[in-house]
Amino acid sequence: MIGKSSECQIAGPRLSVFLGLKKVLRAFSFPFMLAIQMSDILEGRLGQDAPERRLVMERLYRLLERVEMPLFMHVNTKWNRDLWDRLFRILTLLGGATFCLGFSLAAGLLASGPWRAAGWQGLAAVALSHLPVALAKRGAPRRRPYQKYPQANTCRKPLKDPSFPSGHTTAAFAMLTPWMAAAPMLIPLLLPIAVGVALSRVYFGQHYPSDTIAGALLGCSAALLVPLWLSLPL
């Protein structure tokens, strides 16, 4: 017969897995509920002021372009294409949502200890951070640099959705911030990768520098907020 102690030993790991799954589901359910609420606001009350809001954002975008165009044109047109093309193609792929979600999911399932936690946190952060990205693109659309400036270089299949903020940069910082927090010794390696993703988006004419800065802030913020939700009492 199996004693109570054996039953507790069997139930313990199962209970921990169950509680862990509940935390992960809660982390993902919050963003989806927030998305529904924000969508209602966007379509309803704030939707009535959409023309005025877009006019204000267009003025802000024009002001930003006056400041950041020299930097954009330098990175986009002056940097050696033969030298940087291959590196920035790899970096821009690393910032894609597919890679960031897949890598984080694999880490959450296969890694152990703090790396497993970093994987789950990165997965939730990437999902969470793309809600404000989608809302900003829809509520205050900005033309991509290559669409507005014919002299700008771009990639073979450029994206055509709004430019602000940079989704690739957001995903890269959301994915990598938990890893940098788990192991600060990795910051000299991982931070340049995240910054490289941002530079690749400017290099290929997909984003202005301000788009990538906003994306970096969104990604970091989401990654820092996720542990707070995961630590809430069940």
Side-chain angles (χ1 to χ4, degrees):
M1 296 179 64
I2 299 176
K4 290 186 177 180
S5 59
S6 300
E7 292 178 353
C8 292
Q9 290 176 358
I10 296 174
R14 293 177 180 176
L15 180 61
S16 63
V17 171
F18 174 73
L19 295 178
L21 288 174
K22 285 190 67 176
K23 288 186 177 182
V24 172
L25 290 174
R26 184 183 58 207
F28 279 103
S29 65
F30 179 83
F32 288 121
M33 291 187 293
L34 179 63
I36 294 173
Q37 295 175 357
M38 292 298 292
S39 178
D40 292 340
I41 293 175
L42 188 64
E43 293 293 339
R45 180 162 49 86
L46 292 182
Q48 299 174 357
D49 301 326
E52 292 79 4
R53 186 173 65 255
R54 292 192 178 187
L55 181 60
V56 171
M57 292 304 297
E58 288 175 2
R59 292 175 180 172
L60 175 61
Y61 293 152
R62 287 196 296 268
L63 178 61
L64 287 173
E65 286 175 30
R66 293 177 186 176
V67 176
E68 63 188 344
M69 277 309 294
L71 176 60
F72 169 81
M73 296 304 296
H74 178 75
V75 174
N76 182 259
T77 63
K78 302 297 183 182
W79 286 15
N80 189 303
R81 310 302 291 188
D82 295 332
L83 176 64
W84 294 105
D85 265 17
R86 181 172 297 180
L87 173 62
F88 281 144
R89 284 197 188 101
I90 295 173
L91 287 171
T92 204
L93 288 174
L94 294 181
T98 301
F99 176 84
C100 291
L101 291 171
F103 178 83
S104 298
L105 178 60
L109 293 173
L110 303 177
S112 60
W115 311 120
R116 182 177 185 179
W120 287 122
Q121 290 172 13
L123 184 67
V126 173
L128 172 65
S129 62
H130 273 63
L131 295 174
V133 169
L135 291 172
K137 286 178 179 290
R138 183 176 180 180
R142 184 185 194 183
R143 294 177 65 193
R144 292 182 181 268
Y146 80 90
Q147 295 174 323
K148 189 171 182 179
Y149 300 97
Q151 69 272 31
N153 293 308
T154 189
C155 51
R156 294 179 182 177
K157 296 180 180 179
L159 299 176
K160 297 181 180 180
D161 61 313
S163 180
F164 181 88
S166 169
H168 281 69
T169 307
T170 301
F173 276 87
M175 174 184 67
L176 294 176
T177 297
W179 290 83
M180 292 187 282
M185 67 180 67
L186 294 178
I187 292 177
L189 172 64
L190 298 182
L191 184 58
I193 292 176
V195 174
V197 172
L199 282 174
S200 74
R201 306 308 289 162
V202 177
Y203 177 84
F204 287 121
Q206 297 289 286
H207 290 286
Y208 299 94
S210 57
D211 299 338
T212 63
I213 293 173
L217 292 175
L218 284 173
C220 288
S221 299
L224 295 175
L225 286 173
V226 164
L228 298 179
W229 291 317
L230 292 178
S231 63
L232 290 174
L234 292 172

